[in-house]
Amino acid sequence: MQFWTELQFPCGILSKNEKAVAIRNGWVVFRTSGRWSEPSSIVEFVEALNATLESKTLIKWKPTNWIEHSKFGIGQVSEIREDKLDIDFLNHGRRTILKSTELKPSAGPSPAFKFTRAPGMSRMDRLPRRPPLDFDHLVSCFIRRFPDGFQGQDFHDAERRFKQDAAGVLKDKLGKEAFENLLRDGHYTEVCEIAKHVLRSTNLVFRIEKVKFAGALDNVTNHERFAKALYNLLYGSTEMEGRFTNFCSLLSEIGASKWTVATCYQFLASDGKWMFMKPTVMKCMAESLKVSLNYKTEPNWLTYSKLQELADRVDLELQSRKLTPHSRIDVQGFIWASIGIEEGTYGKAE
């Protein structure tokens, strides 16, 4: 059955030339200057629109900005870290909150106000960060939320199922033999579409990063290069160091160089043997176990190899506490969940 529904959007939400959107047989098309564009899927359109709206409404706070929080009151932005803000509150000390938290611009107590600093610290020195989280405390947070640990259905539903499902799609459609057939027949675009689908099907990667990655793969000139680089990453015969470095270089060239994108596919393909990097939580976990992560913003082999050492250590510590992960996918689930539970952000929208 044919159907056509035209939707009007306020001018400026999408772009100054796109006046209308229509849904036709499950596809979205844009009308520009009286002509209709090529269709795109509703899911892709909604993700792109959400990211556009998010980028237009999210205030880009800067260090020293004064803000007002609904619970903690007046505070000053101290540091910006990935998806989070460190804020020094007048009455609640330093807190780390998500950038997406609703905050209002505010004024400081007085133009001359300064937070108390230890003697000898220069005016530009920031307040010390909060002490590292204690690993046993993180374990207790995890058990409080998942009393049956890794064996419970609640953990499976919340943390394991969607990753296993995504891993199943990746192994089925881009397993070694299937991948080689696609490359032999020149189906590079199909490889890119599968890669985008796998990324979209998990919450491992932030929505805005998914959109940027999809945008990079919308450029047909990137299809062959990405497909071959991804195959080499997953199934190449050389050492992982070279394969990972080459994949990161390709991501940088196409404008999609993010730790999450650089580590997602081998994480899923190896059942977590190659650990996934979500920078903020991994840095917190490394601090809790006094493991040096040597973190750098740009994906690199040294940090990645240290991440594997951290995953080994977390696995060992869990085993010693009678918690037995099914795979390293569970180890990643523990890291993500325990820190989110401790910070009060677990289960909330990104």
Side-chain angles (χ1 to χ4, degrees), residues 110-131:
S110 70
F113 177 84
K114 295 180 181 179
F115 284 96
T116 303
R117 290 173 169 80
M121 292 180 68
S122 69
R123 182 175 61 86
M124 296 304 293
D125 284 332
R126 295 188 178 100
L127 292 172
R129 292 187 181 184
R130 69 180 184 182

Side-chain angles (χ1 to χ4, degrees), residues 15-32:
S15 78
K16 65 181 180 180
N17 294 320
E18 289 167 344
K19 304 298 184 183
V21 175
I23 300 174
R24 185 179 187 184
N25 298 327
W27 295 86
V28 174
V29 291
F30 299 101
R31 187 177 68 196
T32 305

Side-chain angles (χ1 to χ4, degrees), residues 3-65:
F3 69 90
W4 179 287
T5 303
E6 184 172 307
L7 309 172
Q8 296 291 335
F9 287 87
C11 183
I13 287 183
L14 299 174
S15 78
K16 65 181 180 180
N17 294 320
E18 289 167 344
K19 304 298 184 183
V21 175
I23 300 174
R24 185 179 187 184
N25 298 327
W27 295 86
V28 174
V29 291
F30 299 101
R31 187 177 68 196
T32 305
S33 302
R35 301 177 64 183
W36 291 101
S37 70
E38 292 297 318
S40 62
S41 74
I42 294 176
V43 171
E44 291 176 344
F45 163 71
V46 171
E47 285 187 351
L49 179 58
N50 285 339
T52 301
L53 293 174
E54 179 181 42
S55 65
K56 290 180 178 294
T57 58
L58 193 64
I59 297 177
K60 297 186 181 301
W61 301 106
K62 299 178 180 179
T64 74
N65 282 167

Side-chain angles (χ1 to χ4, degrees), residues 90-107:
L90 296 176
N91 298 319
H92 294 274
R94 174 163 293 193
R95 302 278 179 163
T96 299
I97 64 174
L98 292 172
K99 283 184 178 179
S100 57
T101 302
E102 184 176 352
L103 301 171
K104 298 178 182 178
S106 183

Side-chain angles (χ1 to χ4, degrees), residues 318-342:
L318 291 173
Q319 299 277 0
S320 71
R321 290 164 175 79
K322 310 302 181 184
L323 290 168
T324 307
H326 288 74
S327 71
R328 289 295 175 86
I329 285 180
D330 283 2
V331 173
Q332 187 274 334
F334 164 79
I335 295 171
W336 172 255
S338 64
I339 293 175
I341 293 165
E342 198 281 335

